[in-house]
Amino acid sequence: MKKLLLLGFILSVSLGNAQTEVLPTPHKNWYEPEDPETVFFGLSTYFPNALSDSSLGNDYSFDAGIQFEVNVFLTPQFVAGVYGKWHEGEVTNIEKIGNISDSNFSEYGLSLGYYQAINRQFNYMITAGIGAVTLNNTVPFSPDSFRENGTSYKITGELGYRFNQTIALFAKVSPYYLVLDIENRAYNDYLNKHFLIDLGFGLRVHLHNPNG
């Protein structure tokens, strides 16, 4: 009889422990401890500035651009993402670059980053990215345009402010090195190697996993 009572007690304790909900350990980056974040989207506008002594720095002017990105939390601190960005430019020195009416820049890339909450409202994120760049040039009075390709290597720093667990605003600075593949031996460095910096701001939308 005692053995049966002991066995019943052990089974009841085991069942009680099995039914106890196991919650994840809260992390500082979770806006709500029971609601860890899994993915967030970003939409921003930016202003490109070319800083190097190159064709983009001396012979072009740029319009504001737009960028869309998706980031996934690999851990509470590390994120992986994809992004696309687009802006236009105009040649200011036709004699040197050629009679191009406008140029459209597009870039698609991958990034890895570190996200950290300073407190409940403020946070920062630092990412490193690599992207494929396409430059489409339009020639006046011609139905044709010609394309130039390249690769962008960048680091981006963002400072965010969260209104709640879903919506946040952020400001960003993104220096990057752009290498184009224009075939011109005499002016290879001038036409192909550029250092630029984007300054911008945008909106984030955070999504969550209530079950941890």
Side-chain angles (χ1 to χ4, degrees), residues 3-130:
K3 291 183 178 179
L4 290 175
L5 291 174
L6 179 61
L7 180 59
F9 176 75
I10 293 174
L11 288 174
S12 63
V13 171
S14 299
L15 289 173
N17 290 336
Q19 292 174 357
T20 301
E21 183 180 3
V22 179
L23 295 176
T25 303
H27 190 278
K28 183 178 181 180
N29 284 350
W30 297 351
Y31 193 88
E32 297 291 349
E34 71 281 0
D35 199 6
E37 298 166 20
T38 54
V39 62
F40 61 93
F41 301 88
L43 180 64
S44 60
T45 185
Y46 64 91
F47 302 90
N49 300 275
L51 305 179
S52 57
D53 183 18
S54 64
S55 60
L56 295 185
N58 298 331
D59 308 316
Y60 281 78
S61 64
F62 302 106
D63 300 331
I66 187 169
Q67 177 168 324
F68 178 74
E69 59 191 82
V70 181
N71 290 283
V72 177
F73 280 95
L74 304 177
T75 71
Q77 291 174 300
F78 292 96
V79 298
V82 295
Y83 68 89
K85 53 178 287 197
W86 309 268
H87 69 271
E88 294 185 349
E90 294 80 35
V91 173
T92 58
N93 190 342
I94 294 176
E95 290 77 11
K96 198 167 189 178
I97 300 301
N99 190 17
I100 298 172
S101 60
D102 60 78
S103 300
N104 297 304
F105 294 77
S106 61
E107 179 179 338
Y108 301 92
L110 304 172
S111 65
L112 289 173
Y114 177 84
Y115 176 95
Q116 181 64 53
I118 300 171
N119 54 38
R120 190 173 175 83
Q121 285 77 37
F122 288 96
N123 57 78
Y124 67 88
M125 184 171 69
I126 299 173
T127 60
I130 182 171

